[in-house]
Amino acid sequence: MMWKRRSKAGDGGDKPRINRRDLLQGKLWKLIRPSHYLPLVMRYPKAAEDIEPAESPAEERRTRSISGIAIEAVAPTRLSSPTPPRAIPVFRPPGAIEENQFLAGCTRCNDCADACPYDAIRKAPERLGSIAGTPTIEADTAACMMCEGFPCITACEAGVLVHSIDKVMGTAKVTEHLCLAHHGTTCTVCSERCPVEGAIEVRQGKPTVLENVCVGCGVCRYVCPAPENAILLMPAFLRPTLPAT
């Protein structure tokens, strides 16, 4: 038995119908007109002002979609001018210049690593592709101790590590829900071992990293005794660019 709403004059009698089985099974969604469904596929979002209105809603549905699937034309891929790959954010030794200049000038000679008295500078592994073999710092293995005079910079003959810029490698942040001091335990190891004066402030026994002072050396992460390391390290995404000579 079919259930159908009686059509009134002027409504065209085209209301959706539902049978008794669908009614008992709660399939009331069948009463919604198909045009009320959202498109299943959207290639990319468009701003409202960028969409030119069609002559009528029916015409718009016919020209822009089929059964709710958008069929807008897609711009051809430009193969002649490929987008240059983005640099991978990694921790560079202190004094590292802007990443693209760094990669262009670094000879991968390993002199900076040989000059580091704490073996904190390691070669980037092969899995990192274009930056493989370049000097990086992994605080979990050995943090930068911010040596006096920075022998790594002095040893760099390629000029990608320089004394003339701030020695900022990144920023550290205390993850409070992992920090022992934020859970009632007496712990000030990070502030005691930090080589940068004033970078970590302790208030009521709880450490806080001051981002405008921190250089991202990673010592706080290296010495953190928490079961799950409470120090989050973020590399510098932008570094100074050397002027052209």
Side-chain angles (χ1 to χ4, degrees):
M1 178 178 180
M2 302 297 293
W3 293 75
K4 180 178 179 181
R5 178 182 174 183
R6 294 183 180 180
S7 60
K8 296 181 180 180
D11 66 1
D14 58 346
K15 298 291 184 180
R17 295 181 297 178
I18 185 171
N19 58 36
R20 179 180 295 178
R21 176 178 297 178
D22 291 337
L23 181 63
L24 293 176
Q25 292 180 351
K27 296 181 180 180
L28 300 180
W29 54 267
K30 288 190 174 183
L31 293 174
I32 304 175
R33 291 178 178 275
S35 60
H36 291 181
Y37 291 117
L38 295 176
L40 297 179
V41 177
M42 180 179 292
R43 296 183 185 272
Y44 53 88
K46 286 186 175 182
E49 59 270 14
D50 295 337
I51 302 177
E52 298 180 359
E55 296 180 358
S56 65
E59 179 69 14
E60 182 177 357
R61 286 193 298 271
R62 183 168 63 254
T63 57
R64 295 183 182 276
S65 64
I66 297 178
S67 300
I69 301 178
I71 57 171
E72 294 289 345
V74 179
T77 303
R78 298 180 180 272
L79 300 178
S80 58
S81 56
T83 303
R86 292 184 178 181
I88 301 174
V90 293
F91 285 91
R92 295 297 186 190
I97 61 177
E98 189 271 332
E99 185 67 9
N100 289 328
Q101 286 187 339
F102 185 93
L103 293 176
C106 179
T107 60
R108 295 164 171 78
C109 63
N110 210 42
D111 286 347
C112 58
D114 293 338
C116 179
Y118 296 97
D119 294 329
I121 301 176
R122 308 293 179 90
K123 287 185 176 182
E126 294 295 330
R127 59 183 173 82
L128 295 184
S130 61
I131 72 170
T134 60
T136 62
I137 293 180
E138 297 180 6
D140 290 345
T141 304
C144 174
M145 301 303 295
M146 302 295 290
C147 304
E148 182 179 358
F150 296 98
C152 56
I153 298 179
T154 304
C156 180
E157 296 183 1
V160 295
L161 302 178
V162 296
H163 287 284
S164 59
I165 63 177
D166 292 336
K167 315 303 185 293
V168 177
M169 295 164 278
T171 305
K173 182 178 178 61
V174 177
T175 308
E176 295 183 0
H177 71 277
L178 298 176
C179 179
L180 298 177
H182 282 266
H183 291 277
T185 301
T186 301
C187 180
T188 56
V189 175
C190 58
S191 61
E192 292 173 359
R193 299 287 297 276
C194 178
V196 180
E197 185 178 357
I200 300 180
E201 185 179 46
V202 180
R203 294 181 180 178
Q204 298 180 351
K206 301 176 182 179
T208 301
V209 176
L210 302 182
E211 294 185 3
N212 60 334
V213 183
C214 176
V215 298
C217 64
V219 172
C220 54
R221 180 173 177 86
Y222 182 70
V223 300
C224 179
E228 292 187 37
N229 204 303
I231 302 298
L232 174 65
L233 275 179
M234 296 163 283
F237 283 82
L238 294 176
R239 299 194 300 271
T241 302
L242 288 183
T245 56

